[in-house]
């Protein structure tokens, strides 16, 4: 749920708007990677009617942990950028 929560928040920022992408290009690239992987994972889960089988795919936990780590780095960079902007204002 944590990955989904972070992904939903950051999706609005990196996909729904072009304001932040040019300012944080590395983080935008990281988000694009996570976005593609997360959507692919959710598509596979959607097509598997049995929850236990869908969630026991080999490597799923490792993928989710890696996505979570990237999303946390992206969030930290975004927070740092917004804080710098607040201080400039």
């Amino acid at each position: 749920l944590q990955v989904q929560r972070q992904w939903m928040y950051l999706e609005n920022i990196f996909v729904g708007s072009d304001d932040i992408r040019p300012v944080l290009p590395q983080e935008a690239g990281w988000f694009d990677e996570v976005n593609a992987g997360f959507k692919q994972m959710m598509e596979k889960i959607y097509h598997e009617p049995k929850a236990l089988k869908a969630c026991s795919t080999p490597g799923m936990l490792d993928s989710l942990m890696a996505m979570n780590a990237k999303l946390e780095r992206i969030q930290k960079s975004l927070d740092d950028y917004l804080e710098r902007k607040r201080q400039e204002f």
Side-chain angles (χ1 to χ4, degrees):
L1 287 174
Q2 186 170 352
V3 171
Q4 182 181 16
R5 187 177 308 119
Q6 289 177 317
W7 173 81
M8 287 174 56
Y9 174 73
L10 292 171
E11 182 188 33
N12 290 326
I13 294 168
F14 285 98
V15 175
S17 172
D18 290 331
D19 295 341
I20 298 294
R21 290 185 77 81
V23 179
L24 300 172
Q26 184 175 21
E27 288 78 2
W30 291 341
F31 182 78
D32 290 342
E33 291 172 13
V34 172
N35 189 38
F38 185 73
K39 286 181 176 181
Q40 183 180 30
M41 184 181 290
M42 293 301 107
E43 182 74 21
K44 288 179 184 176
I45 290 172
Y46 175 78
H47 290 293
E48 175 54 59
K50 297 181 181 173
L52 187 57
K53 187 174 181 184
C55 293
S56 62
T57 303
M60 182 177 282
L61 180 59
D62 293 334
S63 294
L64 287 169
M65 290 173 63
M67 287 180 196
N68 188 49
K70 277 187 182 177
L71 290 170
E72 285 179 354
R73 282 187 282 174
I74 294 166
Q75 183 67 53
K76 176 150 179 29
S77 295
L78 178 62
D79 290 345
D80 292 345
Y81 168 73
L82 293 174
E83 182 59 32
R84 283 193 308 274
K85 284 302 202 182
R86 275 192 275 283
Q87 290 176 356
E88 289 175 9
F89 184 70

